[in-house]
């Protein structure tokens, strides 16, 4: 024991104090008090580590002092050893009830007194150690919580999810697990439309739902903003139920906005594959369905990876490709059966990639429509089409008009009309030479805006095709209000037209209807002689398709026109 521990001896009999002092003077700094009151004065003035307390004293006896000590927070922890006479059994019990740590019986046996004091002090030290250890543990738990958890939702953060999920799947290698990656569509809108707190509430609600979902058999974590991940044994994964439960939880918040979660699921097949890769794959799967209203979750398969890599290549290289003129036009004639010649041609873009060769528009147009780059590409195509027209005009022969595809995004640009009219002026062309193809589904987007712009074009003498007619949901109804000049019937209608009564009858009626409402009509995707014959028989003259010509490089197209005009 270090000598700087302080022992307070409280006894009204000086002799007793002297004896005890003798016992402990080598181990303790001794202070003395003759009654409870004096003892209180001492302990309020200096630190005391241990009190030896006589019970029977004048002014304030030992019981009174014990009561005061235990009531006063500052003093409550000081161990008190009570000194009693041999026949004071009752008093000992009472003293212990009042919080005394132990008692010593008079007359004092030095060995026993020392031992008791040592025991009490050791016990106290032990208690302190325990308290300190508990505090340390609490601190560590709090720290760990802070480091491991996402501060907004309280569930694991990304790093922790990765490590814990890796341990979970590796320690249970015989259990098949699934990694599920979830994301809210257009979460930004929720933050913009409402308060950021509303967005946070949605995230916390979703997190709480995930937490109950994985309780006891899996893990969940917040990856970033509105992205979450779950790791669950396969047998616990019922995606319909999971998504339904999530919808219910979020709908219970009564936010007036359609909040839709999407999920990608990656079935773990190699437990040693890094979890972040598994999450990436689940995320990749999710990205293939984002924006679709009917599909809310999808399982990962290898082809998706190819698709995403392809898309990344497209996004990385598009600007450079446009600058470097890797995009070029192919022309596909629209043919008049009765006149045996091209009466128009559609400009179709191709990407001639220096390493990958020719890339069809089906691969890159949807990507550009998602990121807006299509507006720039379309402009490049329109200008190129004008150059082709200019070249035709320069030969002095009759110009065959060209139709260009117009992505719906152009309708949101106020200078759309000016751009087209500007190009016509720049290349000294007439409005009838350039036609616009607007895909049927664009008409459902924002009909008012679209109609207004369409009318302006028509007033300027530019004709409009409704492309892919019949492929959407409301084609017929739309015809009542949309003043298109020519219907371009989707290529699915021409299939089987020559050998199926039903297909034939439908085609016949479409052609009849176009005549009735005084609209031009072109049938796309005509590939065989029987189809041509059928169409001719029902009075349909204009066709486009491989039967007559595939899309041709511009040079070949010019050659074809030259041949035809020479023939004429
Ligand atoms: P679309 O406008 O419906 O173009 C017709 C597509 O059908 C073309 O495919 C054409 O090559 C193909 N085709 C023509 N005749 C036949 C046939 O007899 N049989 C079959 N099976 N197919 C035929 P392509 O060139 O691959 O274009 C695909 C789509 O890409 C186009 O569909 C159009 O929506 C879009 N696209 C092409 N160029 C442009 C462009 O410059 N701008 C925009 N916005 N979209 C474009
Ligand atoms: Ca088209
Ligand atoms: Ca089409």
């Amino acid at each position: 024991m270090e000598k700087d521990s302080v022992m307070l001896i409280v006894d009204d009999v000086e002799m007793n104090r002297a004896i005890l002092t003798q016992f402990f003077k080598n181990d303790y700094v001794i202070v003395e008090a003759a009654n409870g009151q004096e003892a209180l004065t001492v302990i309020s003035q200096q630190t005391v580590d241990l009190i030896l307390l006589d019970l029977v004293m004048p002014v304030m006896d030992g019981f009174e002092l014990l009561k005061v000590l235990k009531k006063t927070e500052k003093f409550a922890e000081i161990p008190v050893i009570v000194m009693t006479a041999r026949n004071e059994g009752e008093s000992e019990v009472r003293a212990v009830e009042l919080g005394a740590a132990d008692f010593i019986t008079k007359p004092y046996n030095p060995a026993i007194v020392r031992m008791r004091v040592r025991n009490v002090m050791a016990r106290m030290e032990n208690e302190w150690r325990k308290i300190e250890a508990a505090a340390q543990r609490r601190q560590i738990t709090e720290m760990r919580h802070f480091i491991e958890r996402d501060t907004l939702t309280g569930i694991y953060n990304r790093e922790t999810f990765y490590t814990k999920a890796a341990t979970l799947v590796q320690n249970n290698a015989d259990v098949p697990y699934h990694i599920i990656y979830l994301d809210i569509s257009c979460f930004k809108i929720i933050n913009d439309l409402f308060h950021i707190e509303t967005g946070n509430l949605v995230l916390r609600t979703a997190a709480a739902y995930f937490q109950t979902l994985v309780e006891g058999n899996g893990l969940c974590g917040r990856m970033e903003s509105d992205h979450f991940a779950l790791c669950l044994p396969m047998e616990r994964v019922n995606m319909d139920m999971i998504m339904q439960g999530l919808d219910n939880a979020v709908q219970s918040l009564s936010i007036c906005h359609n909040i839709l979660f999407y999920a990608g699921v990656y079935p773990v097949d190699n437990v040693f594959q890094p979890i972040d890769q598994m999450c990436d794959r689940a995320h990749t799967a999710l990205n293939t369905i984002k924006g679709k209203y009917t599909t809310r979750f999808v399982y990962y398969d290898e082809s998706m990876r190819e698709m995403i890599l392809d898309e990344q290549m497209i996004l990385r290289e598009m600007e450079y490709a446009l600058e470097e003129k890797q995009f070029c036009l192919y022309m596909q004639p629209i043919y008049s059966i009765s006149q045996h010649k091209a009466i128009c041609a559609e400009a179709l873009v191709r990407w001639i990639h220096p390493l990958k060769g020719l890339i069809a528009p089906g691969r890159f147009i949807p990507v550009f429509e998602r990121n807006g780059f299509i507006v720039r590409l379309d402009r490049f195509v329109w200008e190129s089409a004008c150059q082709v027209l200019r070249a035709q005009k320069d030969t002095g022969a009759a110009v065959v008009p060209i139709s260009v595809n117009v992505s719906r995004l152009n309708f949101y640009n106020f200078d759309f009309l000016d751009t087209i009219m500007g190009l016509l002026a720049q290349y000294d062309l007439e409005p009838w030479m350039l036609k616009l193809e607007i895909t049927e589904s664009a008409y459902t987007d924002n009909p008012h805006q679209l109609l207004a712009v369409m009318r302006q074009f028509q007033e300027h003498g530019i004709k409009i095709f409704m492309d892919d007619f019949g492929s959407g949901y409301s084609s017929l109804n739309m015809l009542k209000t949309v003043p298109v000049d020519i219907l371009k019937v989707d290529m699915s209608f021409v299939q089987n037209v020559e050998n199926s009564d039903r297909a034939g009858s439908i085609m016949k009626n479409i052609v009849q209807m176009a005549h009735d409402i005084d609209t031009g009509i072109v049938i796309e995707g005509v590939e065989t002689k029987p189809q041509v014959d059928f169409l001719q028989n029902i009075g349909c003259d204009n066709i486009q398709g491989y039967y007559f010509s595939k899309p041709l490089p511009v040079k070949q197209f010019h050659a074809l026109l030259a041949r035809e005009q020479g023939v004429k």
Side-chain angles (χ1 to χ4, degrees), residues 205-206 209 244-254:
T205 307
Y209 168 73
Q244 187 59 54
L246 185 56
D247 283 348
N248 292 346
V250 174
Q251 273 159 20
S252 70
L253 300 173
S254 304

Side-chain angles (χ1 to χ4, degrees), residues 332 346 349-350 361 378 405 467-468 491 524-525 527 545-546 551:
Q332 188 177 32
E346 178 178 7
V349 70
R350 298 287 179 266
D378 273 355
N405 289 287
D467 201 0
D468 308 324
M491 54 183 87
E524 268 192 293
E527 295 181 350
Y546 295 167

Side-chain angles (χ1 to χ4, degrees), residues 329-330 332 346-350 360-362 364-366 369 374 377-378 381-382 404-408 410 437 439 467-468 488 490-491 495 524-527 531 544-547 549-551:
L329 290 201
Y330 269 48
Q332 188 177 32
E346 178 178 7
L348 292 159
V349 70
R350 298 287 179 266
F364 55 85
I365 298 269
E369 283 189 328
I374 190 66
L377 182 66
D378 273 355
V381 171
W382 305 336
V404 291
N405 289 287
V406 173
S407 167
R408 67 193 78 184
N410 291 291
E437 296 200 9
T439 183
D467 201 0
D468 308 324
K488 219 173 174 188
D490 191 68
M491 54 183 87
Q495 281 161 22
E524 268 192 293
V526 181
E527 295 181 350
Q531 288 171 347
Q544 179 181 9
Y546 295 167
Y547 175 75
S549 170
K550 290 201 166 183

Side-chain angles (χ1 to χ4, degrees), residues 14-272:
E14 198 181 347
M15 176 59 81
N16 288 343
R17 299 205 298 270
I19 295 169
L20 291 168
T21 304
Q22 278 305 314
F23 289 171
F24 293 108
K25 69 175 188 216
N26 292 333
D27 300 330
Y28 286 90
V29 174
I30 309 286
V31 282
E32 296 179 28
N35 58 53
Q37 196 62 63
E38 274 186 35
L40 278 178
T41 313
V42 173
I43 60 173
S44 56
Q45 286 169 353
Q46 70 170 99
T47 312
V48 167
D49 299 292
L50 172 68
I51 301 174
L52 300 189
L53 178 64
D54 184 28
L55 286 179
V56 187
M57 290 179 295
V59 189
M60 181 192 271
D61 68 11
F63 293 116
E64 276 306 303
L65 180 65
L66 267 176
K67 278 190 216 160
V68 177
L69 290 179
K70 294 303 157 191
K71 261 195 279 178
T72 316
E73 199 186 342
K74 218 164 84 184
F75 307 138
E77 299 298 332
I78 306 174
V80 180
I81 298 175
V82 166
M83 297 169 295
T84 61
R86 208 182 290 280
N87 57 358
E88 282 184 304
E90 275 297 307
S91 307
E92 285 165 9
V93 174
R94 221 182 128 207
V96 172
E97 276 171 0
L98 287 172
D102 203 350
F103 49 85
I104 305 169
T105 333
K106 296 176 202 169
Y108 304 123
N109 172 327
I112 292 179
V113 171
R114 280 217 188 83
M115 193 186 69
R116 290 257 158 130
V117 167
R118 219 178 295 131
N119 282 351
V120 165
M121 291 310 278
R123 221 161 64 211
M124 283 310 293
E125 214 160 283
N126 214 8
E127 286 299 310
W128 275 116
R129 227 177 278 133
K130 270 199 235 156
I131 291 170
E132 261 170 29
Q136 233 169 29
R137 271 200 305 277
R138 208 167 38 243
Q139 222 174 10
I140 291 172
T141 315
E142 274 168 17
M143 290 251 297
R144 187 180 295 152
H145 195 273
F146 183 74
I147 295 168
E148 289 183 343
R149 306 275 166 162
D150 164 51
T151 40
L152 177 71
T153 61
I155 63 174
Y156 288 137
N157 57 26
R158 181 182 21 201
E159 304 316 322
T160 320
F161 178 81
Y162 287 162
T163 33
K164 300 243 174 206
T167 314
L168 183 69
V169 298
Q170 284 166 18
N171 288 351
N172 300 282
D174 50 334
V175 180
Y177 275 89
H178 282 179
I179 297 284
I180 305 167
Y181 199 95
L182 299 116
D183 175 5
I184 305 176
S185 86
C186 305
F187 182 68
K188 214 181 139 306
I189 295 179
I190 301 168
N191 275 340
D192 289 348
L193 282 183
F194 307 95
H195 198 261
I196 188 136
E197 257 316 305
T198 312
N200 287 348
L201 183 65
V202 172
L203 297 177
R204 278 198 292 263
T205 307
Y209 168 73
F210 296 140
Q211 187 76 65
T212 39
L213 192 73
V214 301
E215 197 78 68
N217 52 61
L219 296 167
C220 66
R222 181 173 173 223
M223 301 288 106
E224 59 180 285
S225 61
D226 58 333
H227 295 194
F228 295 88
L230 312 177
C231 175
L232 275 173
M234 184 180 80
E235 58 171 33
R236 303 288 309 230
V237 177
N238 176 336
M239 285 310 291
D240 282 313
M241 268 170 59
I242 291 177
M243 299 310 277
Q244 187 59 54
L246 185 56
D247 283 348
N248 292 346
V250 174
Q251 273 159 20
S252 70
L253 300 173
S254 304
I255 296 169
C256 318
H257 186 76
N258 208 5
I259 298 167
L260 287 181
F261 268 92
Y262 290 88
V265 187
Y266 181 74
V268 178
D269 59 353
N270 167 11
V271 295
F272 295 106

Side-chain angles (χ1 to χ4, degrees), residues 350-387:
R350 298 287 179 266
W351 184 346
I352 314 291
H353 192 279
L355 298 176
K356 294 175 188 290
L358 191 147
I359 308 178
R363 265 174 73 192
F364 55 85
I365 298 269
V367 181
F368 294 167
E369 283 189 328
R370 281 201 292 278
N371 77 354
F373 189 69
I374 190 66
V375 172
R376 288 179 51 200
L377 182 66
D378 273 355
R379 279 166 198 224
F380 167 79
V381 171
W382 305 336
E383 173 143 21
S384 307
C386 287
Q387 289 163 352

